[in-house]
Amino acid sequence: DISENFKGLAKYADNVMPTISSEFNYFISTLEDYYIAKIDGLNRIYNRLQEWDFESRMFIIDILISRINESGIEEFDEIEFKKKLLS
C-alpha cells in the first residue's frame, strides 16, 4: 500500500506496469488526460490531488505543468492552473 505522502509518491515510480514504464507515469498520464480531454478535467485533477500531502501535490502539479506545456495546448495559464489546484 502506497501512503499518500511524498515518500509514497516516490514508491510509485518504482512500481513497474506492463505497458507503461511505471505506476507513477500512468497516474500522471491519467491526470494529464483529465485536463486535455475532459470538460471537468481540472476538477477531476483537484479531487485526485486531495489524496496527497502538500509536498506531493506541488511535485505532481509541476510535472503536469511541464507535460501540458510540452503538449502544445494554446492559452495554457500555468499560474491559474496551479492556483486552482492549490485552492
Side-chain angles (χ1 to χ4, degrees):
D1 184 58
I2 296 176
S3 59
E4 291 153 346
N5 57 36
F6 197 71
K7 187 176 180 181
L9 185 63
K11 289 180 183 178
Y12 249 19
D14 295 332
N15 290 344
V16 176
M17 296 183 72
T19 56
I20 297 180
S21 62
S22 72
E23 190 172 359
F24 176 76
N25 281 333
Y26 177 77
F27 176 65
I28 294 297
S29 294
T30 300
L31 297 180
E32 182 183 9
D33 179 60
Y34 287 169
Y35 182 78
I36 293 171
K38 308 292 187 255
I39 292 172
D40 63 341
L42 206 52
N43 289 331
R44 289 178 183 220
I45 295 169
Y46 177 85
N47 289 333
R48 291 294 301 270
L49 290 178
Q50 297 314 300
E51 302 168 8
W52 299 92
D53 65 13
F54 182 78
E55 184 179 17
S56 299
R57 283 190 299 236
M58 290 298 298
F59 182 75
I60 293 165
I61 290 168
D62 286 342
I63 290 173
L64 282 172
I65 287 171
S66 176
R67 289 236 191 140
I68 293 167
N69 277 327
E70 288 173 8
S71 73
I73 291 179
E74 294 181 21
E75 300 180 22
F76 175 63
D77 185 341
E78 294 178 26
I79 296 168
E80 191 64 25
F81 181 82
K82 191 176 265 191
K83 190 166 110 179
K84 285 182 182 179
L85 292 178
L86 292 175
S87 62

